[in-house]
Amino acid sequence: NLSSKAIDTLISFCLSNSYFEYNHQYYQQNKGGPMGSPLTVALAEIRVTEIETTALLTSPDPPSFYRHFVDDGYGRFRDKDHAMSFLTLINSLSDDLVYTIEHPADNGSLPFLDILIHGDNSTSVYRKPTHTDTYTNYETSAPQSTKDALIRSLTRRAYNICSPKHLDNELSHIRKILINNGYPHQRIDTLMHKTKDALKRPKTDPSTAVEPVSKVSIPYFPNLSKPLRCISRRHQVKLTFSSNLTLRNILTKTKSTPKAILTPNVIYEIPCGQWTESTVDRQNDLFRKDSLNTRVLQEEQEICPIPNYNMPPR
């Protein structure tokens, strides 16, 4: 039940109070929104929609067809000059965003998201020139469900995107990709056929699905995870697997290491030779959620009344 003014105030507060830390220095972001924030995504979508809607309504010669998804747009124009005039108009409406344009290839095809739209309006799956067709290898230590999901998702995408004239070529390409990544022929054919049959069946009502009693996520262990999942299903517990130890986590470091005084969940010791044993035992709090700095400040407040006691330097 928030008013428009209240929403505007809250949005302005979020955008004007965005801070980040780099190399142990703190900075305030003075333009745009913080990356990863749901608010930034929503505001960016609103802004792009506003610009493109204004361009379509004010253009003396708008395109015959125009659609956009996030930051990609697709339009139908008479020729390149018509498209360039619309590009000039839409770029004149904002100083913050700069639109670029991609013209159809010589054969009339033009990519839009993961769809390649051909000159005859048929469609097929689009892959960027840098795409290597490298996916999770079948011998990888990963849940079988993850490997099966790869086969299903590639097959489902082919049926959802490809026109009939391009479907067989895409399915053959998928088989070739999976074989090169070590997947067994029989497993590929079985799951591809099951996915095709599932697409033909009417969709079930999501409200009738049986929800698990609880959900649990644990690290994946090849010989243990499958039996655990079977047991969890009998008790209506959804078990998922995660892996925090990856090459990316090991080899990359995108954030600065915080100072020790700001670290939470620590074991700390404060030398206090003149205190009694019972008082010292009270300080042995392990893995406190508060940062070390916060805990030391609390200790200072408690110790302050003791005469002739100096807190150890931090």
Side-chain angles (χ1 to χ4, degrees), residues 263-266 286-291 295:
T263 307
N265 303 322
V266 295
L286 304 182
F287 300 107
R288 298 300 297 255
K289 293 183 179 180
D290 299 328
S291 68
R295 292 297 303 156

Side-chain angles (χ1 to χ4, degrees), residues 136-148 216-230 233 239-246:
T136 302
N137 192 279
Y138 195 77
E139 299 300 325
T140 300
S141 178
Q144 184 64 42
S145 58
T146 300
K147 302 169 188 176
D148 293 346
V216 178
S217 179
I218 62 174
Y220 176 73
F221 297 98
N223 298 325
L224 182 61
S225 296
K226 187 174 181 180
L228 286 176
R229 173 169 279 178
C230 294
R233 285 175 179 171
L239 188 63
T240 59
F241 305 110
S242 61
S243 176
N244 295 324
L245 186 62
T246 63

Side-chain angles (χ1 to χ4, degrees), residues 74 107-128 154-171 173-174:
Y74 178 83
N107 60 4
S109 63
L110 184 67
F112 179 63
L113 305 176
D114 59 346
I115 305 172
L116 185 63
I117 304 174
H118 299 268
D120 59 356
N121 291 331
S122 62
T123 56
S124 62
V125 173
Y126 173 70
R127 295 177 177 85
K128 292 183 178 181
L154 292 176
T155 305
R156 191 181 301 111
R157 182 176 68 168
Y159 281 100
N160 289 336
I161 290 179
C162 294
S163 300
K165 62 184 296 185
H166 301 291
L167 180 59
D168 289 340
N169 288 336
E170 177 62 21
L171 294 176
H173 185 66
I174 291 174

